Structures are given as C-alpha cells and as structure tokens.
C-alpha cells in the first residue's frame, strides 16, 4: 500500500513538473512603442517568462495589418527563409539567445513602410502565447521655410517643412516665446510615407518683433526658422529699395562702359592707343604709356572682379594683357556682379 502510494505520488509530481515546465510560459514585450530612425536597425524585444529554451519551439513574427505578413518564421530549429515576406527579406534575424527564451527580432535598414504593429508568436508542443508591440519609424524633415505676403493690414506668413515621420508637431511663437494658436496647419503624406507639413497664420508686424516656426517630433529633431517682417514690407519695403538702387547702379555702370567702349573703338578716347598698337605692344612685351590710362579705368571699374589679379613677371604680363583686352570687350554679366 505505502509503496503504491509513494509511486503514485512520484508520478503526480513528475507529471506536474513536466506539465508546468513544458506548458506555462508567458510572453514579455514592451508595453510602449519601439521607435527607431529611418535607415537604422531596431530590436523588437520579445522573451519568454520563465526563460525557457525556445530552440525547439516555433517562433513566428508577423505584422498585424497587411494581411499578416510573415516577417520571420523559426521552425524545426532554423529560420525558414522561404517563408519571409519580400518586404523583410535579408533584413531580419533572431538576435537574442534562444536558449534563454529571448526571441527578440532585429530588423535592419528601416523603411517607412515598416511602421506598424508586430506580433511575436511562440508555440511549444503543448502551449502557445503571443505578444505585440508598435514600431514607430522616425525621420527628421527639412528646416522650415518661411515666407510671407501681404494680406490687408497684416502679413500672411507661411511655414513649410518636408520629409517627417511620424506626423510632426508645428508650433508658431512670437518674440516673447508665447505660442500662437490662430494658425492653419495641414499634413500631406508623400509617396514614400513621409509627412510634409504646411502652415500659415496672419500676423501684424506691430505685435511682435519676429515670429518663429518650429517643427519637431515630440521635442526630438527640432528644427526652427524665424522671420522678421518689417513694417515697411507692407508698402514695398527696404529690400525692394535695395533692389532698385542696385538696378539703377548697374544700368549706370553699363552705360558708362558702353560709351567708353564706343569711344575706344572709334579712337576718340584721348591718350588711348588703337587696338593694333595695343596688340603690337603686347607682342613686344612692352608697356606703352598710352595704354596705362584705359588700364587704370578698367581696374577701377572692375574692382572686385579683377582686383586680385597682380601680374608678377613678363610672361604673366602677356596673359594679363589678354585679360585686359577681354575685359574691354565687356561681358555684361561681370558688370552686374558689381
Ligand atoms: C507599462 O509599464 C510601466 C512600467 O514600465 C507600468 O507602470 C505600466 O503600468 C505599464 N502599462 C501597461 C498598460 O501595462
Ligand atoms: C534579448 O536579446 C536582445 C539582443 O541581444 C537584448 O537587447 C535584450 O535585452 C534581451 N532581452 C532579455 C529579456 O534578455
Ligand atoms: C495665406 O497663405 C496661404 C498659402 O500660403 C493660403 O492658403 C491662405 O489662404 C492665405 N490666407 C489668407 C487669409 O490670405
């Protein structure tokens, strides 16, 4: 009797130990999103608790949407490459120690299409369990570009920035740091899944010295641009005046050059030698006194264009004279650069 009881007890204990160790495990995954930069590698953590040896288990990683794409399948003690979806081919591996129940997935060269919910499914002979997590693919977009145009008494300031992932946050602030809320923002997802942001707002230059537009991903990868609209922008503005002055100056310079050129061609310029003489002088490597006056005139007018050129010896002098001739034949674009 007692022997039988003992044997029965032993069987029960063995059975329960076997059942416990073979059956009960749970899956541990992060309860927050996993995020990584576009193009980088990411580890999607997943492990068994208790840390059973998972080498003989079936481990499957799949993506929830997209009709359950198989990201990776580990079966019969190896990864079944043929079952991997094309989107993930050659980019996935089991990185953890399977012996210790670590079935974490490594995904390389992240693409925007990789974002979404991933599930890790582990199956032993008598038990299975799964856990999921969300993958966020991050990308920092371009520095915001600000522009503005008149809108009655105010300025319509717009801010654009492209190439973010996920959807960024766009914030307008005035020079006191106060957030401006009367703004209109829209998001456009491009063909690669990156998000472009466009925003505009009406602004009175008298309200603030400047305003800034900031785009960021939850304070990560922050990009900011500022605009300092001048009151005079409403009536033409400072830059318009600068533009007109530059234009007028350029026209005057062009006219003076043209007159000088005509006079020179006709040989009406006092102390100015003819082309033939200049050429002869160049050939003989001599400097005729008659040449110096137009040369100086050229130098003065060409300040900033040719002023760095300093002939140092007689061989260079030849090309220097060639250059001088070239500048007399006047390239209008070099004049505008003044
Ligand atoms: C997520 O994990 C934190 C600790 O890491 C815990 O405090 C929190 O309750 C968990 N949230 C959920 C929904 O399990
Ligand atoms: C599983 O392995 C990965 C990669 O080596 C590691 O980052 C992670 O911390 C491991 N997880 C556990 C629970 O040990
Ligand atoms: C401001 O400019 C944006 C384009 O940059 C335009 O869509 C919007 O209608 C303009 N708003 C006003 C009030 O002019």
């Amino acid at each position: 009797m007692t022997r039988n009881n003992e044997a029965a007890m032993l069987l029960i204990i063995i059975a329960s130990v076997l059942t416990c160790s073979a059956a009960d495990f749970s899956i541990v995954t992060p309860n927050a999103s996993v995020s990584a930069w576009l193009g980088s590698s990411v580890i999607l953590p997943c492990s068994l608790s208790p840390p059973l040896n998972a080498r003989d288990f079936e481990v499957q990683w799949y993506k929830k949407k997209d009709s359950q794409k198989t990201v990776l399948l580990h079966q019969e003690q190896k990864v079944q490459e043929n079952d991997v979806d094309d989107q993930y081919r050659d980019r996935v591996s089991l990185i953890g120690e399977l012996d210790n129940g670590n079935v974490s997935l490594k995904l390389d060269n992240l693409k925007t299409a990789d974002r979404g919910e991933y599930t890790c499914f582990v199956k032993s002979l008598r038990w299975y369990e799964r856990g999921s997590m969300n993958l966020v693919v991050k990308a920092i977009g371009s520095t915001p570009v600000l522009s503005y145009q008149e809108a009655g008494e105010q300025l319509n300031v717009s801010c654009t920035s492209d190439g973010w992932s996920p959807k960024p946050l766009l914030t307008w602030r005035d020079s006191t740091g106060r957030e401006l809320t009367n703004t209109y923002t829209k998001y456009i997802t491009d063909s690669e899944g990156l998000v472009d942001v466009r925003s505009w707002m009406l602004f009175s230059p008298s309200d603030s010295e400047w305003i800034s537009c900031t785009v960021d991903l939850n304070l990560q990868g922050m990009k900011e641009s500022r605009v300092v609209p001048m009151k005079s922008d409403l009536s033409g503005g400072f830059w318009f005046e600068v533009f007109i002055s530059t234009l007028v100056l350029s026209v005057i310079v062009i006219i003076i050059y043209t007159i000088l050129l005509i006079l020179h061609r006709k040989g009406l310029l006092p102390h100015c030698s003819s082309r033939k003489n200049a050429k002869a002088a160049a050939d003989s490597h001599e400097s005729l006194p008659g040449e110096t006056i137009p040369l100086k005139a050229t130098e003065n007018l060409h300040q900033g264009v040719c002023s760095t050129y300093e002939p140092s010896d007689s061989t260079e002098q030849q090309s220097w004279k060639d250059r001088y001739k070239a500048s007399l034949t006047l390239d209008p674009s070099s004049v505008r650069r003044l």
Side-chain angles (χ1 to χ4, degrees), residues 43 45-47 95-97 102-104:
I43 292 173
C46 179
S47 51
I95 195 181
E97 288 176 57
N102 187 337
V103 295
S104 300

Side-chain angles (χ1 to χ4, degrees), residues 61-183:
W61 277 92
Y62 58 86
K63 196 171 172 197
K64 261 269 174 66
K65 284 188 184 154
D66 310 328
S67 61
Q68 296 214 344
K69 277 185 182 172
T70 299
V71 177
L72 181 140
L73 177 65
H74 174 274
Q75 229 174 14
E76 290 157 3
Q77 301 198 331
K78 63 172 195 275
V79 172
Q80 306 293 319
E81 300 288 352
N82 292 337
D83 289 295
V84 172
D85 188 275
D86 280 344
Q87 186 188 333
Y88 298 99
R89 198 168 297 285
D90 301 326
R91 295 199 292 135
V92 287
S93 54
L94 287 178
I95 195 181
E97 288 176 57
L98 282 184
D99 297 353
N100 293 326
N102 187 337
V103 295
S104 300
L105 180 86
K106 182 163 177 258
L107 175 56
D108 297 317
N109 189 16
L110 271 186
K111 302 177 189 320
T112 46
D114 293 340
R115 66 173 147 232
E117 191 177 335
Y118 286 77
T119 301
C120 115
F121 170 89
V122 182
K123 189 171 157 228
S124 71
L125 282 176
R126 28 196 327 166
W127 193 256
Y128 66 84
E129 194 63 80
R130 72 186 94 215
S132 297
M133 77 214 68
N134 192 45
L135 172 64
V136 176
V137 177
K138 296 184 293 181
I140 295 185
S142 60
T143 302
V145 174
L146 283 160
S147 58
Y148 52 94
Q149 64 200 49
E150 264 181 68
E153 291 288 285
Q154 292 178 301
L155 290 176
N156 179 355
V157 188
S158 48
C159 177
T160 71
S161 177
D162 296 343
W164 294 85
S165 176
K167 209 168 104 170
L169 193 70
L170 186 147
T171 320
W172 290 96
R173 283 181 204 283
D174 67 10
S175 54
T176 65
R178 189 170 55 94
E179 192 173 329
L180 305 167
T181 49
N182 199 11
T183 61

